């Protein structure tokens, strides 16, 4: 990749709040993609047998774009709104081997 920052966020959400969490996450992802040119990709998935386990593949143009993302009103709203829902969060910086889409 050409200087991009790629990360996987591994979250465990309170199962009783999963629908509310997904709504806030969808709002945050939509705003990030629409408003931030440095946010190249945000893909969120949940495990089939444990839907409270969410994984987010995040791709930013560079570290500066990621740092700017953390300061946006929509991200701060997401963090505040989901604070009581997230049981655990692990951020894993990764090196892409090959990423393609169609």
């Amino acid at each position: 990749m050409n200087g991009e920052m790629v990360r996987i966020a591994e979250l465990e959400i309170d199962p009783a709040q999963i629908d509310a969490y997904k709504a806030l996450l969808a709002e945050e992802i939509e705003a990030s993609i629409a408003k931030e040119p440095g946010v190249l990709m945000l893909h969120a998935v949940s495990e089939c047998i444990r839907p409270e386990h969410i994984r987010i593949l995040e791709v930013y143009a560079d570290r500066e774009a990621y740092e700017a993302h953390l300061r946006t009103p929509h991200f701060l709203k997401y963090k505040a709104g989901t604070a009581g829902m997230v049981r655990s969060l692990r951020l894993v910086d990764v090196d892409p081997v090959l990423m393609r889409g169609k």
Side-chain angles (χ1 to χ4, degrees), residues 19-67:
D19 291 335
Y21 174 82
K22 286 180 179 180
L24 287 167
L25 177 63
E27 180 182 325
E28 196 281 326
I29 287 176
E30 292 294 337
S32 296
I33 295 299
K35 298 176 179 180
E36 297 179 68
V39 177
L40 304 181
M41 180 189 314
L42 293 171
H43 291 291
V45 297
S46 64
E47 293 182 18
C48 292
I49 60 172
R50 297 184 305 174
E52 70 275 12
H53 289 253
I54 305 281
R55 302 294 180 263
I56 305 169
L57 175 62
E58 308 174 27
V59 182
Y60 303 93
D62 50 34
R63 178 153 295 275
E64 292 76 28
Y66 170 71
E67 297 293 337

Side-chain angles (χ1 to χ4, degrees), residues 46-94:
S46 64
E47 293 182 18
C48 292
I49 60 172
R50 297 184 305 174
E52 70 275 12
H53 289 253
I54 305 281
R55 302 294 180 263
I56 305 169
L57 175 62
E58 308 174 27
V59 182
Y60 303 93
D62 50 34
R63 178 153 295 275
E64 292 76 28
Y66 170 71
E67 297 293 337
H69 170 70
L70 297 180
R71 296 187 298 270
T72 61
H74 49 270
F75 181 77
L76 295 173
K77 177 183 176 186
Y78 160 80
K79 287 301 280 187
T82 62
M85 301 175 182
V86 177
R87 288 185 171 173
S88 68
L89 169 63
R90 180 173 175 244
L91 301 174
V92 183
D93 289 327
V94 296

